Amino acid sequence: EQAVAVAGGVIGGILFFVLLGITAYLIWKKFCHLFSYEKLINPVKTTNANAIFQGQANSEIQLKSTRSRSVPFIIPPTLHGRDWIHLTNEEQVQEDSDPYMTPQPGPRSSFHSLAGAYVVGTINPDLYKFPEDKSETDFPDGNIGRLWFSIEYEQESERLLVSLIKVRKLQPPADSCSPFVKIYLLPDERSYLQSKTKRKTLNPQFDENFVFQVSSKMLLQRTLKFLVYHVDKQKKHHLLGQVIFPLKNEALTEDNKLVIWRDLEKENLEPPSEFGDIQFSLSYNDYLGRLTVVVLRARGLKLQEESPAVGVYVKVSLMNHNKFIKSKKTAALLGTPNPVYNETFSFKADQTELDTASLSLSVLQSNREKTLLLGRVVVGPFMYTRGKELEHWNEMISKPKELVKRWHALCHST
């Protein structure tokens, strides 16, 4: 009995230690699993990991696998010392000195082309491409130059800040060119600000700032005028072109600095007609059946002195035969003989009606008591058309969807 008891105790002790060892092993296995990567599915046979890592500066491993190639798997550099045996396709070791993954050849999914090309934390420059600026390369035929400037308005001090930036592609009358720019704030044409003269260049860079004092109430009725001149060897000034820029359509604030470019236009050197001239453009869209009129500006108007001017505006009327169809009018500008409008009006007009239609543009001066007619011009094949007015209309029809711009003399015919 004593022998049996001793044998049972020995067997029980052995079983106890075996169970204790198994429990310790399972606990150790569990903790090791928590601090390791999960085993990948469908691993393939690979070469020894130690042989792979030795002598590889970039430490890149590419192995064949049936696993999807759409999402790359990167081993952190801090874990390079571990024995990573089950590395499969698209799983790479990244060294500290190589911040980019080497892209794999062959077709890629759309996700792989974005996420696989750059490691998280780096910038893909293809995602931050800005649209190409063609303002210095895309010049139309017949262009005589292009001017860049910026404008900003300070409400508190009531100052208009104008920055003259540059001019490109000037067309001087001689081989050399020494340009400068005069800046006016219309309707005041008696005073101006002038830039420095740039010697022997067709592409002057000015970068000069100018200040005009103008109240906020009058600001939207003012117009900037840039005149670009060339100085020859005899110190004579030759006008190369001009830019007219009305301020009424711009939102000018201290937090909104506008950078603008405009093509130079040739100045109309002909003397004004008896009642003044008006410039406008015509275009016709045969697909939409739409007639478009852009009232640009007038010059040399004979304002009525016997009554104080409240405003000068242009009334545009569409006629068919002698029948009035529709009329629209521009904003009224305070009495100036050279108003600038730049306003667009559209009228519905069927193509079959163009042979009997006409447009009447009347320049009117209004005050509190009455409205006075300063001049009128009619274009079209019907009513009171003349040579240039009829030519303008026919040119509009022959060039569909193009703006045809012309000057016309005003008259008092009714």
Side-chain angles (χ1 to χ4, degrees):
E1 291 179 356
Q2 291 180 352
V4 171
V6 171
V10 171
I11 294 173
I14 293 172
L15 291 176
F16 173 78
F17 283 108
V18 169
L19 290 176
L20 185 62
I22 293 173
T23 303
Y25 174 78
L26 292 177
I27 294 174
W28 175 81
K29 191 74 174 178
K30 182 177 180 180
F31 277 98
C32 289
H33 179 71
L34 291 177
F35 289 99
S36 64
Y37 283 91
E38 183 179 359
K39 185 177 181 180
L40 301 176
I41 301 174
N42 295 331
V44 298
K45 293 182 179 181
T46 66
T47 58
N48 189 293
N50 293 329
I52 293 175
F53 287 116
Q54 290 179 353
Q56 294 188 358
N58 295 327
S59 301
E60 175 183 355
I61 302 174
Q62 178 184 2
L63 299 173
K64 294 182 180 180
S65 173
T66 58
R67 203 163 66 86
S68 172
R69 299 184 57 185
S70 60
V71 181
F73 182 84
I74 301 172
I75 298 177
T78 56
L79 302 178
H80 287 176
R82 298 202 177 189
D83 189 11
W84 300 104
I85 298 178
H86 302 295
L87 295 175
T88 59
N89 186 40
E90 288 293 328
E91 297 165 5
Q92 304 177 13
V93 177
Q94 179 190 15
E95 295 288 352
D96 293 339
S97 59
D98 185 14
Y100 300 100
M101 288 172 42
T102 304
Q104 302 300 322
R108 297 167 178 256
S109 67
S110 59
F111 176 83
H112 188 278
S113 63
L114 294 176
Y118 292 87
V119 181
V120 175
T122 62
I123 296 177
N124 183 354
D126 293 335
L127 301 179
Y128 298 90
K129 288 184 177 179
F130 293 95
E132 184 181 357
D133 183 13
K134 296 183 179 181
S135 62
E136 292 199 40
T137 57
D138 187 13
F139 289 87
D141 294 338
N143 184 272
I144 60 174
R146 183 168 291 173
L147 182 142
W148 282 259
F149 62 96
S150 68
I151 53 176
E152 185 179 3
Y153 186 70
E154 294 181 349
Q155 293 284 349
E156 185 175 351
S157 59
E158 294 189 331
R159 298 195 310 168
L160 177 66
L161 309 180
V162 180
S163 296
L164 178 62
I165 302 174
K166 59 187 176 183
V167 181
R168 293 292 183 265
K169 291 283 187 178
L170 288 175
Q171 303 296 324
D175 295 336
S176 63
C177 182
S178 297
F180 70 92
V181 181
K182 291 182 180 180
I183 306 176
Y184 296 80
L185 186 61
L186 302 180
D188 183 11
E189 295 195 65
R190 294 174 297 178
S191 60
Y192 60 87
L193 300 177
Q194 182 174 320
S195 73
K196 297 178 181 179
T197 301
K198 302 297 180 178
R199 300 294 177 184
K200 298 181 180 181
T201 175
L202 298 177
N203 303 291
Q205 187 78 27
F206 292 98
D207 295 325
E208 297 184 42
N209 300 316
F210 305 90
V211 178
F212 292 93
Q213 199 71 39
V214 55
S215 66
S216 57
K217 293 181 180 180
M218 299 294 298
L219 178 65
L220 298 183
Q221 299 190 25
R222 297 301 186 94
T223 299
L224 281 172
K225 180 179 180 180
F226 300 85
L227 297 179
V228 182
Y229 288 90
H230 155 63
V231 184
D232 61 17
K233 296 180 180 179
Q234 288 74 34
K235 305 298 181 182
K236 292 183 179 180
H237 296 175
H238 303 272
L239 181 61
L240 301 179
Q242 65 177 2
V243 169
I244 305 294
F245 185 78
L247 299 177
K248 62 182 179 180
N249 297 326
E250 304 299 332
L252 298 176
T253 63
E254 296 185 22
D255 299 330
N256 185 21
K257 184 175 182 179
L258 302 177
V259 178
I260 304 155
W261 61 265
R262 289 289 186 273
D263 287 330
L264 297 181
E265 298 179 346
K266 292 183 178 179
E267 187 182 33
N268 187 3
L269 300 179
E270 297 179 2
S273 60
E274 180 182 359
F275 301 105
D277 303 299
I278 184 172
Q279 186 188 42
F280 57 90
S281 63
L282 300 176
S283 67
Y284 182 73
N285 190 318
D286 51 0
Y287 179 76
L288 299 177
R290 184 173 62 196
L291 175 63
T292 302
V293 185
V294 183
V295 181
L296 298 169
R297 54 183 176 264
R299 68 186 185 106
L301 299 179
K302 301 300 185 289
L303 302 180
Q304 302 295 328
E305 298 179 357
E306 62 269 15
S307 59
V310 173
V312 178
Y313 64 94
V314 179
K315 182 180 179 181
V316 185
S317 302
L318 176 65
M319 309 288 292
N320 191 356
H321 291 284
N322 290 324
K323 182 181 178 181
F324 168 80
I325 304 298
K326 194 172 185 180
S327 67
K328 301 178 181 181
K329 62 181 182 179
T330 68
L333 301 181
L334 291 184
T336 168
N338 304 296
V340 179
Y341 296 101
N342 276 3
E343 295 193 32
T344 303
F345 306 100
S346 296
F347 300 92
K348 292 292 291 184
D350 191 81
Q351 194 167 8
T352 58
E353 301 174 349
L354 296 181
D355 291 337
T356 58
S358 61
L359 278 171
S360 173
L361 290 90
S362 303
V363 182
L364 302 163
Q365 178 183 350
S366 64
N367 57 21
R368 297 178 182 178
E369 299 177 357
K370 59 182 178 179
T371 300
L372 302 173
L373 177 66
L374 300 180
R376 174 183 291 132
V377 61
V378 180
V379 294
F382 194 73
M383 290 183 67
Y384 310 100
T385 59
R386 296 181 293 179
K388 291 184 177 180
E389 284 70 33
L390 184 58
E391 291 176 5
H392 194 178
W393 184 272
N394 292 335
E395 188 176 0
M396 171 198 72
I397 297 176
S398 65
K399 298 179 179 179
K401 303 177 185 178
E402 290 187 19
L403 287 174
V404 182
K405 181 171 61 176
R406 293 288 182 272
W407 279 99
H408 293 277
L410 297 171
C411 62
H412 266 290
S413 59
T414 57

